[in-house]
Amino acid sequence: MAIDRRAACSPGGAEDAALSAAGALFHSLADVTRLAIVTRLAGGEARVVDLMEQLGLAQSTVSAHVACLRDCGLVIGRPEGRQIFYSLARPELFDLLAAAETLLAATGNAVALCPVYGTADPEIGRKDKRR
């Protein structure tokens, strides 16, 4: 997806498709659990049981999120005996995570104060999660 600042306000055609794909990518990473899984896998491969222990979540929850990430093409599994070791499918995810950390540092985590998506007040933003 190439960013053209002149066309940013009037997308159409191929730009709409690229924006839809980018929206789907960011939506897949917007869930805190999926982002935690991706961040953990950036440190090396892990099994669902490893992720369960590290995240303190149920097996069904972790498996569902890993399946979502796998379906999106962000995570791959490597079978070894009866176990599956998951890792990031694309090295570009490392760059995306690093860019996000840089952006958060540059803005002083101001996004945490966002009235819709921020985390400063857990009650803020719960009215409409359809966005």
Side-chain angles (χ1 to χ4, degrees):
M1 174 181 80
I3 304 294
D4 181 356
R5 292 183 181 170
R6 294 168 295 168
C9 293
S10 58
E15 291 92 6
D16 280 348
L19 289 174
S20 292
L25 169 66
F26 285 110
H27 188 75
S28 70
L29 296 172
D31 182 90
V32 176
T33 300
R34 287 192 297 273
L35 187 56
I37 290 169
V38 168
T39 301
R40 166 53 188 88
L41 293 178
E45 64 182 13
R47 303 166 299 163
V48 167
V49 69
D50 301 325
L51 297 169
M52 288 170 46
E53 291 171 5
Q54 292 168 350
L55 301 175
L57 298 171
Q59 183 271 329
S60 60
T61 301
V62 173
S63 291
H65 285 293
V66 168
C68 175
L69 292 166
R70 189 187 62 235
D71 292 346
C72 291
L74 301 178
V75 168
I76 56 173
R78 177 182 62 82
E80 187 174 301
R82 295 178 62 187
Q83 303 177 74
I84 298 177
F85 290 84
Y86 292 98
S87 62
L88 298 182
R90 305 287 314 172
E92 293 85 356
L93 274 171
F94 293 105
D95 298 334
L96 183 61
L97 294 173
E101 287 177 1
T102 301
L103 182 58
L104 288 170
T107 63
N109 293 320
V111 72
L113 301 175
C114 172
V116 177
Y117 298 110
T119 59
D121 182 352
E123 290 303 315
I124 295 175
R126 289 198 179 166
K127 296 175 205 132
D128 184 8
K129 285 293 189 184
R130 293 173 284 165
R131 294 182 194 207

